[in-house]
Amino acid sequence: MARLEEYDISNAFTATVASSERITPPESKEEVRHIDLDITGTPLDFVEGQSVAVMIPGPHEFGNKDHVRLYSIASTRKEERGQNMISLCVRRCRYIDDFSGEERPGIASNYICNLKEGDTLQMAGPYGSAFVVPGDTTCNILMIGLGTGIAPFRAFVKHIYESVGGWKGKVRLFFGAQHGFDLIYMNDERNDFALYYDQKTFKAFQALSARPFVDPNVALDKAIEANGDEVWGMLQDPKTYVYLGGLEKVGTLFDKAMAKIAGSDLQWEQKKNELKGAKRWFELLY
């Protein structure tokens, strides 16, 4: 993926906040918001899996005019085009300053999370696609995600079952969080994926930390290993596509689990290279 400064943002347009909803419960220390943006009159034309750039007005440090960040679109082309809307899934971030050691709010995420209905923001795009939905409804889809990396998967599942319909291939989603209420689009505040649990081809597997208040590590690899026979069987099918989204450790946890399932690191590496060579492997990690 290109560096942020390499993205062309000359086609900037103005979007208006139609709604901003916190989708993690109040007791969660993580604030994640689902934000619907009205793009009426803009040139934005997108497909599932693409991203948009959000430009945070300055001035910023080092004399930068704009602070730019990319966000995956969490909505489908059909649903939101009809309403002239797109959706973003944004987590309010904090970081430790390298020089002072102080905790500071993330510039882009806090700017977006603070927006209210009727506020406007500058955007550009779309960019990608890092993820591409197969055109064949008999294909299998394996999605692995953490955090807001689940945003494009929400769009995928909505597109597969609502826009395309009659999906015959297996659709499997493995998603993890430290606490149950941090499972984005899978908690009591907002459970979009529950709309598809009655689909015969769809299954979602949740992975949590065994000791959420002590150990922050999410047992994503354990959830995959527990379903190893099915996952490995899917990967033998030349119609299976793999998608990884979210934090970089998603890739590490998936590799760890798959090496055990495959029998060795070498066997998994061979299978992984086969998937990449056949263009059936996609990842959007940060």
Side-chain angles (χ1 to χ4, degrees):
M1 181 173 288
R3 293 175 297 177
L4 281 173
E5 59 267 25
E6 295 174 348
Y7 285 92
D8 180 8
I9 58 173
S10 61
N11 63 336
F13 56 88
T14 301
T16 303
V17 177
S19 65
S20 178
E21 172 193 4
R22 176 171 174 144
I23 58 174
T24 46
E27 60 267 31
S28 172
K29 68 177 182 179
E30 298 289 350
E31 180 185 350
V32 179
R33 304 193 74 84
H34 178 91
I35 302 166
D36 289 325
L37 299 169
D38 188 335
I39 54 171
T40 301
T42 75
L44 184 63
D45 190 27
F46 69 95
V47 296
E48 296 74 23
Q50 289 189 300
S51 302
V52 288
V54 176
M55 288 165 280
I56 292 80
H60 298 288
E61 290 183 314
F62 310 113
N64 294 326
K65 178 183 176 182
D66 291 308
H67 183 82
V68 180
R69 281 293 178 269
L70 290 186
Y71 289 92
S72 296
I73 299 173
S75 49
T76 65
R77 69 190 100 164
K78 182 177 179 180
E79 173 200 10
E80 276 70 25
R81 275 183 191 163
Q83 303 172 12
N84 293 313
M85 297 277 184
I86 65 165
S87 302
L88 301 182
C89 178
V90 181
R91 178 173 67 90
R92 189 184 293 274
C93 297
R94 299 169 294 277
Y95 71 96
I96 303 299
D97 186 274
D98 291 336
F99 297 100
S100 68
E102 296 178 354
E103 184 177 83
R104 293 189 176 183
I107 296 173
S109 66
N110 280 268
Y111 172 81
I112 298 171
C113 287
N114 287 340
L115 292 173
K116 306 298 182 183
E117 181 178 341
D119 288 344
T120 60
L121 71 163
Q122 289 294 109
M123 304 176 68
Y127 308 102
S129 294
F131 292 164
V132 178
V133 181
D136 183 352
T137 60
T138 64
C139 288
N140 304 313
I141 294 179
L142 179 61
M143 300 171 284
I144 317 293
L146 283 175
T148 54
I150 202 171
F153 297 154
R154 174 186 181 270
F156 263 36
V157 174
K158 287 173 69 67
H159 176 68
I160 286 168
Y161 292 115
E162 295 183 11
S163 302
V164 178
W167 198 270
K168 301 176 183 66
K170 292 182 178 180
V171 180
R172 300 293 182 264
L173 170 63
F174 289 86
F175 178 66
Q178 190 171 353
H179 304 83
F181 40 69
D182 291 336
L183 286 165
I184 301 169
Y185 299 119
M186 287 188 191
N187 59 45
D188 291 339
E189 289 291 317
R190 182 84 178 243
N191 192 356
D192 291 26
F193 289 107
L195 298 173
Y196 311 102
Y197 288 163
D198 61 346
Q199 297 285 341
K200 294 181 179 179
T201 55
F202 178 69
K203 289 183 181 179
F205 302 91
Q206 302 175 0
L208 304 172
S209 170
R211 299 182 299 163
F213 298 103
V214 179
D215 183 2
N217 293 316
V218 175
L220 187 61
D221 54 329
K222 300 301 181 184
I224 296 168
E225 288 175 40
N227 296 275
D229 288 344
E230 181 179 37
V231 172
W232 187 246
M234 288 176 66
L235 295 183
Q236 307 316 305
D237 188 334
K239 287 189 173 183
T240 294
Y241 289 71
V242 179
Y243 304 85
L244 305 182
L247 301 174
E248 281 190 2
K249 65 180 179 181
V250 170
T252 301
L253 291 171
F254 189 54
D255 285 339
K256 179 182 176 182
M258 293 311 303
K260 288 185 179 180
I261 294 169
S264 69
D265 290 337
L266 178 60
Q267 285 181 285
W268 167 235
E269 197 63 30
Q270 291 174 338
K271 173 55 69 175
K272 185 176 177 180
N273 288 335
E274 177 188 317
L275 291 163
K276 289 183 175 181
K279 297 183 179 180
R280 294 187 287 119
W281 177 281
F282 304 89
E283 58 183 56
L284 185 57
L285 305 174
Y286 49 87

